[in-house]
Amino acid sequence: MSKGKTSKTLVWILMAMLILGLGGFGVTNLSGATRTVGDVGGKEIDINAYARALQEELRTIEAQTGQSISFSQGQLLGLDRAVLSRLVVTRAMDAEAEHIGISIGDENLRRELIAIPAFQSLDGSFDRDAYAFAIDQAGMNETRFEDSVREETARSLLQGAVVSGINMPDTYANAVVNFVAEQRDFTWTELTADNLTRPIAPPTEADIKGYYDDNLEDFMIPAMRQITFVQLNPEMLIDSVEIEESVLQQAYEDRSAEFNRPERRLVERLVFPNMAAAKEAKEQLDADKTTFEALVESRGLALSDVDIGDVSQADLGPAGGSVFGEPTGAIAGPVQTDLGPALFRTNGILAAQLTSFDQARPALREELATERARRIIDAQIGDIDDLLAAGATLEELATETEMQIGSINWHEGAEDRIAGYEGFRNLAATVKVEDFPKIEELEDGGIFALRLDGETETQPAPLEDVRMAVSDAWTDARTGQALNILITNLMPRLEEGTDFTSFGFNAIEETDIVRNGFIPGTPAGFLPMVFEMQQGDVRALNDGAGITLVRLNSINAPAIGSPEISAFSDNITQQVSTGIAQDIFDAYAQSLQTIYPVTLNQQALNAVHSQLQ
């Protein structure tokens, strides 16, 4: 082949590569020949629509979390799959709407367009130029945009037809309301050893030994790990740390606003359109013709809307003098403010806080000394690690450094102070005998190192170590048995309705108790048991050392006609109806995807993802 022909061939190859490269560039920037990322039953999924939907989802998550989120992070959350699934459902519905002939005419389309605020002029009429400009900025032409409006309207009609008319019957809401809002009136008492006619005799040695043998599982020593450790905490060094007086004085001055706070008040502010209206409202208040709450409500506001929190006199500007000159509950004003004439109500007074340097000095010294101690410890970590690397034992570390040595029989329930540190607990649970000690950091800025010396398995505690606990447990068991016999003998009379007080029992009356209520002094499972009882039933609940006795006096049905119950019932019906409608729609959407085949362009999807990286 001649040299000239070879050169021409290379030029054509380079041109072909350039064209392919530019084509790829067009796809990546969502403006090339590839305009779709998929197709559902002949309805294309626009590549720009997919990209916009992804960006909107990212912004939504950022708005909810208050943090920036990358597309890669969004992918880990499944954002791209959720967006694509939603678009597939949308286009499947468009295909179905077209198939069954749902559409809107030109006149309906016109009404939809002129109702869009972005296309309206200042006087509210349709602005043709604004319409053309907005569509151009969105990267669409008028035909495509109007087709999308037709499809969206038809899709809304189809969706409405699928989910409309779904309402739960009142029976369901009433059942839920009855379960949640029913109330109980009952009488209860707690019976203890004091209610027995004869006290329980102390256990004999045989009783103690027998109870111990029969209940060994209640007197077990947990598996333990014998650990030796050294530690150095900031508080160990505080007394030896020197803090200059000038440093303390400067810290006090820097935090003057913290130690010396002026009087503050909890204030509500109601602003009026003009001074005349404000004065008229104040006159009505002074004449007891209205209330502050009524004034707020008449303006279409809630008290939370006029609450400005706790403020100082300086915060209120010109109104400060008037507000701070009135007692709690008084109305000050009207006063001209930046927002207009306003009335102020004081709901509480927070007294001024004045802390002298001498009063603040101990706390300041401890805080500064602790911080300096942390820095001293941090500077020693390297040297102590070097000692361990050179073969020093924990005992030698305690001798050669400021670290203190200790030991612990560690288990999950250990309450020693060192066991309160999460870092220590995590290492103590996993360290092995052959592990070499090394310096680890604690949450308070301290350091530690530990060594596993041995382990013991779970075993019964020696009787002599738990003799008192065994004796108490035996006594509790015998007390419970005696109380059960007492209640069994009295139960016929109790079920006849005899008052608790007739037997010398204390009777506690409870009324209007709801299912999720709380009765102090009752054992676990008490209220669930009460709500299983029928009116007049008497039950006894044994909690180990005593018995809780209860009689159900009445079952109070919810006040169905009350505003609160009606609103609760309506809310339940709406929530359940919405949930069922959503389930029906989801099933319908899934069925459409089996009717209309889905084809995805992975190369185009990857191009969008690449641009969003």
Side-chain angles (χ1 to χ4, degrees):
M1 183 182 289
S2 68
K3 182 178 180 181
K5 184 175 283 189
T6 301
S7 299
K8 289 182 179 179
T9 302
L10 289 173
V11 169
W12 282 113
I13 292 174
L14 289 173
M15 287 295 292
M17 291 176 64
L18 179 60
I19 292 170
L20 289 174
L22 290 175
F25 179 80
V27 170
T28 303
N29 286 275
L30 315 182
S31 59
T34 302
R35 295 187 176 277
T36 67
V37 295
D39 178 280
V40 184
K43 294 292 184 179
E44 296 177 341
I45 303 175
D46 185 75
I47 191 170
N48 291 306
Y50 177 62
R52 284 194 300 270
L54 286 174
Q55 290 171 331
E56 289 172 3
E57 285 294 324
L58 288 172
R59 300 296 84 79
T60 299
I61 296 175
E62 289 176 348
Q64 292 172 344
T65 62
Q67 298 179 346
S68 177
I69 180 172
S70 66
F71 177 70
S72 298
Q73 293 172 312
Q75 278 188 300
L76 293 175
L77 298 173
L79 180 146
D80 56 327
R81 296 185 295 277
V83 168
L84 185 58
S85 176
R86 189 167 66 242
L87 290 176
V88 166
V89 170
T90 297
R91 298 308 274 161
M93 291 189 67
D94 291 339
E96 176 69 1
E98 182 177 284
H99 175 71
I100 62 180
I102 298 178
S103 182
I104 62 171
D106 293 341
E107 184 58 30
N108 289 325
L109 174 62
R110 175 181 173 278
R111 281 197 294 267
E112 292 287 340
L113 294 177
I114 64 177
I116 298 175
F119 304 153
Q120 296 174 354
S121 60
L122 294 177
D123 62 0
S125 61
F126 181 73
D127 189 330
R128 188 67 179 73
D129 293 334
Y131 173 63
F133 177 77
I135 292 176
D136 182 66
Q137 289 296 106
M140 303 177 69
N141 58 46
E142 293 184 13
T143 300
R144 288 180 59 198
F145 176 74
E146 291 173 5
D147 286 344
S148 70
V149 173
R150 292 180 190 272
E151 288 180 334
E152 182 176 354
T153 305
R155 188 166 61 246
S156 298
L157 292 172
L158 177 59
Q159 183 173 350
V162 172
V163 302
S164 63
I166 298 173
N167 293 304
M168 285 298 296
D170 293 339
T171 305
Y172 179 88
N174 291 338
V176 174
V177 168
N178 285 331
F179 181 84
V180 174
E182 261 189 356
Q183 299 174 339
R184 299 290 190 271
D185 296 346
F186 53 88
T187 305
W188 69 282
T189 188
E190 185 179 14
L191 305 182
T192 65
D194 294 336
N195 297 104
L196 297 175
T197 55
R198 275 187 259 171
I200 301 297
T204 64
E205 185 62 28
D207 291 332
I208 293 176
K209 181 67 168 62
Y211 191 87
Y212 173 79
D213 291 339
D214 293 340
N215 299 276
L216 274 179
E217 66 279 1
D218 295 335
F219 306 102
M220 301 294 288
I221 297 175
M224 293 188 181
R225 316 191 92 201
Q226 288 73 50
I227 290 175
T228 299
F229 63 90
V230 289
Q231 66 171 327
L232 181 60
N233 300 101
E235 65 181 38
M236 297 178 183
L237 304 179
I238 284 180
D239 292 339
S240 62
V241 172
E242 294 292 335
I243 303 293
E244 297 79 3
E245 193 72 11
S246 60
V247 175
L248 292 172
Q249 185 69 48
Q250 185 61 50
Y252 176 77
E253 293 175 1
D254 292 342
R255 296 163 59 180
S256 177
E258 174 186 336
F259 292 112
N260 299 289
R261 302 186 64 187
E263 177 185 311
R264 301 178 72 81
R265 297 196 170 201
L266 303 175
V267 176
E268 293 167 332
R269 176 185 60 201
L270 181 59
V271 180
F272 292 84
N274 53 62
M275 185 59 75
K279 288 181 178 179
E280 181 182 355
K282 183 63 164 62
E283 290 172 357
Q284 291 181 340
L285 287 168
D286 292 341
D288 292 332
K289 294 182 178 180
T290 188
T291 63
F292 189 81
E293 289 81 2
L295 288 174
V296 171
E297 186 177 350
S298 69
R299 301 289 304 281
L301 301 171
L303 287 177
S304 59
D305 297 325
V306 299
D307 185 0
I308 59 176
D310 62 294
V311 293
S312 66
Q313 184 169 343
D315 293 334
L316 294 176
S322 299
V323 174
F324 275 70
E326 297 287 350
T328 301
I331 308 295
V335 181
Q336 187 66 41
T337 70
D338 293 340
L339 299 176
L343 295 178
F344 295 83
R345 181 170 71 173
T346 299
N347 293 318
I349 299 176
L350 307 177
Q353 175 187 324
L354 302 176
T355 306
S356 67
F357 172 69
D358 289 338
Q359 292 172 320
R361 190 179 186 281
L364 285 171
R365 189 202 176 281
E366 181 176 355
E367 183 178 328
L368 295 175
T370 300
E371 185 58 37
R372 187 168 294 182
R374 289 193 184 102
R375 294 197 297 270
I376 292 172
I377 292 173
D378 189 60
Q380 294 181 13
I381 292 178
D383 294 337
I384 298 174
D385 253 335
D386 290 342
L387 288 174
L388 285 173
T393 64
L394 298 184
E395 289 76 9
E396 290 170 337
L397 276 187
T399 301
E400 299 178 21
T401 71
E402 295 177 290
M403 300 191 79
Q404 297 180 8
I405 194 165
S407 62
I408 179 176
N409 287 319
W410 185 86
H411 56 91
E412 288 292 344
E415 297 181 355
D416 303 60
R417 184 172 182 182
I418 188 69
Y421 292 101
E422 183 178 0
F424 182 90
R425 293 197 306 272
N426 292 339
L427 186 57
T430 57
V431 65
K432 299 177 182 177
V433 173
E434 61 270 20
D435 288 347
F436 188 79
K438 62 179 182 178
I439 294 297
E440 304 283 352
E441 296 187 28
L442 295 169
E443 296 93 298
D444 63 355
I447 56 176
F448 77 99
L450 60 78
R451 178 185 68 227
L452 178 62
D453 298 322
E455 298 182 76
T456 55
E457 298 297 327
T458 300
Q459 57 185 312
L463 177 57
E464 289 308 312
D465 293 346
V466 293
R467 179 178 296 276
M468 184 61 70
V470 175
S471 176
D472 291 343
W474 181 93
T475 301
D476 289 343
R478 285 303 177 92
T479 300
Q481 292 171 5
L483 289 172
N484 276 327
I485 293 173
L486 174 64
I487 294 300
T488 301
N489 292 333
L490 297 178
M491 189 59 74
R493 295 178 61 190
L494 287 169
E495 291 176 341
E496 290 174 356
T498 305
D499 290 339
F500 289 177
T501 54
S502 299
F503 308 106
F505 301 158
N506 181 33
I508 304 172
E509 300 288 340
E510 305 287 355
T511 59
D512 298 333
I513 304 300
V514 294
R515 190 179 298 271
N516 63 346
F518 173 72
I519 308 297
T522 59
F526 175 75
L527 272 182
M529 180 188 73
V530 170
F531 274 80
E532 292 174 355
M533 296 167 60
Q534 298 298 316
Q535 185 169 329
D537 284 355
V538 179
R539 297 272 186 92
L541 185 62
N542 195 327
D543 60 353
I547 288 180
T548 300
L549 188 66
V550 59
R551 172 187 286 125
L552 183 61
N553 299 324
S554 66
I555 298 174
N556 307 324
I560 299 297
S562 69
E564 295 81 4
I565 296 299
S566 296
F568 181 47
S569 178
D570 292 343
N571 188 40
I572 292 173
T573 301
Q574 182 179 358
Q575 287 185 2
V576 175
S577 298
T578 301
I580 294 176
Q582 185 62 51
D583 292 341
I584 291 175
F585 178 75
D586 290 343
Y588 176 71
Q590 290 178 8
S591 69
L592 288 182
Q593 293 175 55
T594 62
I595 297 173
Y596 299 102
V598 179
T599 304
L600 298 178
N601 185 339
Q602 192 59 51
Q603 183 179 0
L605 291 171
N606 293 340
V608 176
H609 298 168
S610 177
Q611 183 170 358
L612 294 175
Q613 294 291 344

